Amino acid sequence: KVRNLSFHVRAGEILGIGGVEGNGQTELLNLLIGMQDLSGGTIELYGTDITGMGTKRRRETGLAYISDDRMTTGLSLDSDLQENLICGCESKAPFSRWGILRKRAIDQYADEMMEKFDIRGLHPGKPVRSLSGGNMQKIVLAREINRNPKVLIAAQPTRGLDIGAINFVRQQLLEQKRAGTAVILVSADLEELMSLSDRLIILYEGGCVGEITEPDKVSEEEIGLLMGGIQRDRRKGGEAV
């Protein structure tokens, strides 16, 4: 599903990846986060070859991931807020000491994240499945962003959210960009891609059919043509080639 694809993303930049769903986006993300193995090529993170690393090692190296399905791969719905927030860091200070979880430190961290990310509607000890989609997504954001990643992959980060939650998520992505994080944004929402991205690459049948360096100067029609596998050569007066 992914073929002959090569791209880069810079620190302090949002790289948007667009295309009609089913053209390799899911497979690309699985390759980046280590859920599938490459058949060829390499993946580098700030000069470090992470191709052979598992998901845990990649995360420890500086990769964060906002899953496109918060209900299955983004959260453990039957676990509480604290467990979801420290997932992946439960063996590190200040959350544990000598293999023993430190409840006070974990509870304090959870309180800080609830305030910082405006997480509402959760009662102590209750599973996160009782929350709205927006508050679930805020938990994912809190867990991934607060680890100060070098690269943040955001897959369909606003899908199924209300307008308030959408604006909050988008603002968090922009703040990550300003903080110097490299952000890879995969979204089926063309308006979202065009408004947030500094650059865009368009996937069609697993390959890149176009790179857009100034999304604010390109029309939705032109991007739509690329998504359909139709390229326009401006040297020929816009003739489709």
Side-chain angles (χ1 to χ4, degrees), residues 2-144:
V2 179
R3 55 183 176 80
N4 302 323
L5 180 62
S6 179
F7 66 92
H8 66 276
V9 56
R10 305 179 183 92
E13 174 188 49
I14 297 180
L15 173 68
I17 298 180
V20 177
E21 290 191 69
N23 278 277
Q25 295 94 322
T26 298
E27 290 78 10
L28 172 61
L29 296 181
N30 287 341
L31 291 171
L32 292 176
I33 64 177
M35 290 180 65
Q36 288 181 239
D37 295 328
L38 282 173
S39 59
T42 60
I43 301 172
E44 293 186 0
L45 179 59
Y46 279 85
T48 299
D49 189 342
I50 65 172
T51 309
M53 295 182 183
T55 301
K56 181 179 180 181
R57 284 279 310 282
R58 294 188 191 197
R59 288 170 64 78
E60 291 173 345
T61 305
L63 190 65
Y65 177 50
I66 299 172
S67 167
D68 58 352
D69 189 351
R70 56 185 170 270
M71 304 291 285
T72 56
T73 55
L75 295 167
S76 172
L77 296 183
D78 291 324
S79 300
D80 61 21
L81 171 69
Q82 288 85 341
E83 290 170 320
N84 275 283
L85 284 175
I86 69 169
C87 184
C89 296
E90 65 279 353
S91 61
K92 301 178 181 179
F95 306 129
S96 68
R97 186 178 183 185
W98 299 320
I100 306 296
L101 291 175
R102 305 179 67 189
K103 187 176 186 304
R104 181 177 297 179
I106 294 171
D107 288 345
Q108 180 179 344
Y109 177 71
D111 289 342
E112 292 172 358
M113 292 301 99
M114 287 180 69
E115 181 175 357
K116 181 178 179 180
F117 288 87
D118 193 28
I119 301 169
R120 304 180 184 181
L122 194 63
H123 300 288
K126 295 293 184 181
V128 298
R129 69 166 59 253
S130 63
L131 293 176
S132 66
N135 282 292
M136 286 184 184
Q137 192 71 326
K138 289 177 181 178
I139 295 174
V140 177
L141 284 169
R143 184 186 63 225
E144 300 303 307

Side-chain angles (χ1 to χ4, degrees), residues 198-211:
D198 297 293
R199 283 188 300 125
L200 276 174
I201 62 173
I202 306 300
L203 298 187
Y204 179 74
E205 294 185 350
C208 177
V209 292
E211 178 177 349

Side-chain angles (χ1 to χ4, degrees), residues 91-231:
S91 61
K92 301 178 181 179
F95 306 129
S96 68
R97 186 178 183 185
W98 299 320
I100 306 296
L101 291 175
R102 305 179 67 189
K103 187 176 186 304
R104 181 177 297 179
I106 294 171
D107 288 345
Q108 180 179 344
Y109 177 71
D111 289 342
E112 292 172 358
M113 292 301 99
M114 287 180 69
E115 181 175 357
K116 181 178 179 180
F117 288 87
D118 193 28
I119 301 169
R120 304 180 184 181
L122 194 63
H123 300 288
K126 295 293 184 181
V128 298
R129 69 166 59 253
S130 63
L131 293 176
S132 66
N135 282 292
M136 286 184 184
Q137 192 71 326
K138 289 177 181 178
I139 295 174
V140 177
L141 284 169
R143 184 186 63 225
E144 300 303 307
I145 288 176
N146 215 53
R147 295 178 183 182
N148 299 315
K150 296 176 181 178
V151 177
L152 174 64
I153 300 173
Q156 313 292 354
T158 62
R159 174 175 284 173
L161 305 183
D162 61 41
I163 186 65
I166 288 173
N167 290 334
F168 182 86
V169 171
R170 290 179 177 178
Q171 186 61 39
Q172 291 298 315
L173 296 179
L174 291 172
E175 288 184 11
Q176 283 299 291
K177 167 189 167 179
R178 288 191 285 267
T181 304
V183 180
I184 298 175
L185 172 63
V186 179
S187 177
D189 186 334
L190 185 54
E191 183 274 328
E192 181 168 82
L193 282 175
M194 295 179 69
S195 63
L196 295 182
S197 302
D198 297 293
R199 283 188 300 125
L200 276 174
I201 62 173
I202 306 300
L203 298 187
Y204 179 74
E205 294 185 350
C208 177
V209 292
E211 178 177 349
I212 299 168
T213 57
E214 296 179 296
D216 58 332
K217 296 182 180 180
V218 178
S219 68
E220 291 189 10
E221 178 189 7
E222 188 168 354
I223 296 178
L225 288 171
L226 286 171
M227 288 182 171
I230 302 172
Q231 295 174 300

